[in-house]
Each structure stands twice: as C-alpha cells, then as structure tokens.
Amino acid sequence: MPQYDFGTPPQSTTELFAQLCHRFEESAPTLGDVARFAGPRTYALILLIFALPEALPLPVAGLSTILAIPLILVSVLMLLYGPEPRLPVWLSERRVPLRLLKMGSTRIGQALNRLERVSRPRWPGLIGQTRVIGAVCLALAVVIALPIPFGNMLPALCILGIAVGMLQRDGALVAGSMTAGGLVVTGLSTVIALAGEAVLAVVREVLV
C-alpha cells in the first residue's frame, strides 16, 4: 500500500493552527485555501478545525450535527483517495466560518500543548494508513451527528487526537485515539441498543 511522506513537521500543531488563524483573520478561508496552506496535512488540519468545537459542550441545538458534516465528508475522502489529499471543487469552494476558527483558537492552546508535550514522531507506518484512519473517523463522525445530548464530545476528542497525531507524525497517538474511538462507538452503540429495547418494552406493555 503506498504511503505519503509527511516529512518532518515544520512547526507544532499549535503553531500551524495559529498561522492559519493569522493568515485568515479578516476573511473566511475556503477549504481550498486550507488545502493550499496545509499541503499534505490537509485532511488532518480539516479534521482538527471541525473537531475542536465538537469537543466542547455546544450551546446551540443541532450545531453538532452541522459541524459533523465536514468530518463525514473528509473521512469519506480519506477512504476513497488514501494518503494524498484531494478535495472536489464543490467542497473546496465551501468556506470555513471565521467564528469557527476563532472558537478553536481560543480553546486550542492548553489542550494541544498538553498533547504536544507527550507527542513525538514515532510509528510512522501508521500515519500513511489513511484509509484505515478514515474508516475510524467516519464511524466517529456519524456518532457525532446523532442527536445525543453531549454525545459529540467523546468521539470529537478521539478525532482530535487522531488529527494531532497525524500532524505531529505520532503514530502511537493515532493508534491510541483510534482504539479509544472504537471503544466510544461500541459503548454508545450498546447504550442506544439498550435504550431502544427499553422503549420497545414499554410500548409493548402499554399496547397490551
């Protein structure tokens, strides 16, 4: 399976995100602008941008589902195209709201600094397994899109860990985040199934 060479990160994730916010502090960038800025790290940076606000308690009902759409689309692209980033024209023309970048930039420092302190380039072979990573991110993004109160936070944190691991070339962080993501998806699926069975049981009792 071909692997894309990410090379040595020219700066930390925090610095990369800060540069993006500074470059587009007055006008909202398109996803195409983000791709030109990030190069081979396009998928990881887009995941980071949209996972950051999802990792917070969102005040607006339905916002979690809206923000999950780009996560789903990027995950599908990772599955289809593998390591080399490709954005269809219709998607590259979509704009990233400045408010979203600012929301991420105000919350990014402490959380990402903690991750960066324990992160280092390792397990490089895993970073190139973009289709596998995309499959896990897709499952997590679908869970985020479900109307579950605060159900967006744990899967978003897992995607955030995957994105930072890809940006930092830390395969161990990616592996740990994917493992945690698998547990989150399994746990939430079990809870949903049990809740569904409980509802059906109540309905049967009422009808009988």
Side-chain angles (χ1 to χ4, degrees), residues 31 34-35 41-51 70-71 74 87:
L31 288 177
V34 174
R41 297 177 175 82
T42 294
Y43 289 151
L45 187 56
I46 293 176
L47 289 175
L48 179 74
I49 290 171
F50 289 97
L71 294 174
V74 170
L87 296 180

Side-chain angles (χ1 to χ4, degrees), residues 73-193:
L73 293 175
V74 170
S75 299
V76 170
L77 291 174
M78 294 169 72
L79 275 169
L80 290 176
Y81 298 124
E84 187 170 358
R86 298 183 190 179
L87 296 180
V89 174
W90 63 269
L91 183 58
S92 66
E93 293 176 348
R94 301 295 178 182
R95 293 195 175 274
V96 180
L98 281 178
R99 184 178 178 184
L100 192 64
L101 288 180
K102 292 177 181 178
M103 184 188 301
S105 65
T106 56
R107 304 281 186 165
I108 195 172
Q110 187 175 5
L112 289 192
N113 282 334
R114 288 177 180 174
L115 281 176
E116 289 170 0
R117 280 201 295 268
V118 300
S119 177
R120 64 180 186 277
R122 51 190 165 177
W123 299 10
L126 183 57
I127 304 300
Q129 305 303 315
T130 313
R131 287 187 171 88
V132 176
I133 297 172
V136 175
C137 288
L138 178 58
L140 290 166
V142 169
V143 172
I144 290 173
L146 297 176
I148 303 173
F150 302 107
N152 58 296
M153 296 178 65
L154 286 178
L157 285 171
C158 294
I159 292 180
L160 189 61
I162 291 170
V164 173
M166 293 175 71
L167 291 167
Q168 299 285 125
R169 297 186 70 246
D170 187 349
L173 179 56
V174 172
S177 299
M178 289 199 301
T179 301
L183 294 174
V184 168
V185 171
T186 302
L188 287 176
S189 299
T190 302
V191 170
I192 292 172

Side-chain angles (χ1 to χ4, degrees), residues 11 15-30 32-39 45 98 101:
Q11 66 275 109
E15 292 170 339
L16 183 68
F17 192 83
Q19 287 182 9
L20 175 69
C21 293
H22 178 71
R23 179 172 298 187
F24 299 104
E25 61 183 351
E26 295 182 357
S27 60
T30 64
D33 293 329
V34 174
R36 285 185 286 274
F37 171 83
L45 187 56
L98 281 178
L101 288 180

